[in-house]
Amino acid sequence: MTPVSSHSPLGQSPLRTVQVLGGGNAASSAHVRSLASGLAARGVRVTVCAPVEADRAYDFTGAGADHVHVPRSSDPGAVAALRQACTDADLVHAHGLHASFRAVLALSGRRTPLIVTWHDRAYAEGARAHFLRLLERRVVKAATVVLGTTSVLVDRARRTGARDARLAAVALPGPRETVEPEDPDRPRAKIRAELGATGRPLLMAVGSLEPHRGYDTLLDAARVWRHLDPVPLVVIAGEGPSRAELQWRIEGEGLPVRLLGRREDITELLAAADLALLPGGEESRSVLAQEAFHARVPLVATDSGAVPELVGDAAELVPSGDPEAFADAVVRLLGDPERQQSLRDRGARQAATWPSEDETVAQVLSVYDELTQPRPLI
């Protein structure tokens, strides 16, 4: 039997929540889609405020939610649209820094509880970094509760001034359409041939092409791998502002690396890889690490941020920013099938400890009820 919100029985009106999403982060968008589906199934009325492109990609309406188009900008028009959508909401739940800041502006002067989930840290340098810190401070002080997807983010929220910061249970949402493990149209060998990895190891990284992702470290390590026989091929799925600089290095140094751009078939690509690579410091719950463990693909990652907390002893961890150590770990692992199998088994056990989608929805709903249920007078 599926538990329902405590607002639903005994004739009480259903709890009404508004989920605010910027629309640019795949992990937070998938999380909101999962939440919308689980909350709606439990009798909660859900409105998702997000750009129309996000609804097309994640089908919030198909999950049982109402969708209101709110642009990603924080101009007066976007804030006014969000304020209107939040009218009569029992609470508002915003995901990510910029969406949270828009929610703070939209709820100005209202007593509506605001929950903020930090899925990742916003990165910037110089004056923009100072501006983002000011936004963080404004958001966490206005939020009733801040949920961080990792203990690193929870600690950051507390240091920034959050009055109530908690660790969030966040599941890796499953695919919306069932994919057969052995898809006859795209077997593993065919995918590897398409990528140019026939007869050679295939190493895969996933993530936006930005400086903090550690791709410079990865390219430095690839210099070592180009001397191996056969030469491993590194493929990077993602798009971003560092693309031109990375492509210039790849071509200029003759590195065995391909930039695939934005892809919709990450799960299939990862299942065809020999190793998954996470070269940057991650404060978030790395989607790549989670998908690699579910796909039983050994992972080499840095030991910074929230990565050790997420993966435990189920990955090869090396110091952040050390290309020699990263390269050595990959070379050792490629030459050690027993270690690869050990990591596959450990990864499966570690993944079994992560929260399910049902557990994630249940935790969020308990926070909602805590903030909206009337308290008895003593």
Side-chain angles (χ1 to χ4, degrees):
M1 180 176 178
T2 301
V4 297
S5 167
S6 56
H7 283 239
S8 297
L10 302 176
Q12 297 181 42
S13 61
L15 183 70
R16 179 170 180 254
T17 73
V18 173
Q19 306 286 323
V20 185
L21 189 64
N25 183 285
S28 58
S29 298
H31 175 63
V32 168
R33 207 275 179 186
S34 176
L35 277 185
S37 177
L39 291 171
R42 289 160 172 80
V44 177
R45 292 176 55 203
V46 181
T47 298
V48 177
C49 293
V52 67
E53 299 82 10
D55 186 50
R56 281 199 292 263
Y58 291 92
D59 191 22
F60 303 120
T61 52
D66 295 324
H67 171 251
V68 174
H69 169 63
V70 175
R72 295 182 63 185
S73 67
S74 292
D75 63 38
V79 173
L82 181 56
R83 185 174 179 85
Q84 177 63 33
C86 293
T87 301
D88 299 327
D90 292 300
L91 58 83
V92 174
H93 189 166
H95 301 261
L97 178 59
H98 295 286
S100 301
F101 181 64
R102 285 195 292 277
V104 170
L105 296 178
L107 294 177
S108 178
R110 294 180 178 175
R111 298 177 62 84
T112 309
L114 172 63
I115 299 174
V116 168
T117 294
W118 279 3
H119 296 267
D120 200 352
R121 174 188 166 192
Y123 288 87
E125 297 179 354
R128 180 162 174 77
H130 177 68
F131 173 70
L132 290 180
R133 286 195 296 272
L134 292 177
L135 287 190
E136 286 182 346
R137 195 170 299 120
R138 174 79 182 273
V139 165
V140 300
K141 288 186 176 180
T144 312
V145 174
V146 177
L147 299 176
T149 60
T150 69
S151 59
V152 175
L153 292 172
V154 173
D155 290 343
R156 183 179 181 86
R158 289 172 178 160
R159 291 195 306 270
T160 307
R163 48 185 156 162
D164 187 344
R166 313 179 191 182
L167 186 64
V170 177
L172 177 68
R176 296 211 300 272
E177 297 179 1
T178 302
V179 179
E180 293 297 325
E182 296 295 333
D183 184 348
D185 296 325
R186 294 197 73 197
R188 187 173 189 266
K190 182 177 180 182
I191 295 174
R192 293 173 69 93
E194 290 173 355
L195 296 174
T198 301
R200 61 195 295 198
L202 177 62
L203 317 179
M204 184 169 183
V206 179
S208 58
L209 305 183
E210 298 177 272
H212 70 274
R213 297 288 184 180
Y215 292 127
D216 281 337
T217 296
L218 181 56
L219 296 192
D220 289 342
R223 288 200 207 122
V224 175
W225 304 330
R226 66 183 174 182
H227 300 303
L228 299 179
D229 184 20
V231 179
L233 173 65
V234 180
V235 295
I236 303 174
E239 197 54 82
S242 296
R243 181 184 181 93
E245 179 183 348
L246 294 173
Q247 189 64 51
W248 180 82
R249 279 199 61 189
I250 291 167
E251 294 175 1
E253 299 174 32
L255 302 177
V257 180
R258 284 189 58 191
L259 303 180
L260 302 181
R262 188 173 287 107
R263 299 289 293 244
E264 301 297 328
D265 55 349
I266 298 299
T267 301
E268 293 178 83
L269 292 173
L270 189 57
D274 295 291
L275 302 180
L277 308 178
L278 188 60
E282 290 274 339
E283 290 190 354
S284 62
R285 286 181 66 86
S286 167
V287 174
L288 172 64
Q290 294 176 79
E291 294 221 7
F293 283 12
H294 284 301
R296 297 181 66 83
V297 177
L299 174 70
V300 179
T302 60
D303 61 1
S304 59
V307 173
E309 174 186 351
L310 179 67
V311 305
D313 65 353
E316 289 285 354
L317 296 180
V318 300
S320 179
D322 188 337
E324 290 83 8
F326 202 93
D328 289 346
V330 168
V331 172
R332 286 197 309 273
L333 195 53
L334 287 175
D336 191 344
E338 290 187 6
R339 175 62 175 166
Q340 292 180 39
Q341 186 58 46
S342 173
L343 290 180
R344 292 188 189 98
D345 295 340
R346 292 183 184 190
R349 290 194 295 270
Q350 182 72 6
T353 70
W354 296 335
S356 67
E357 288 189 78
D358 278 345
E359 290 168 339
T360 298
V361 174
Q363 187 215 36
V364 167
L365 190 55
S366 71
V367 176
Y368 290 178
D369 283 344
E370 175 188 335
L371 299 182
T372 58
Q373 286 293 294
R375 298 181 180 178
L377 296 176
I378 299 177

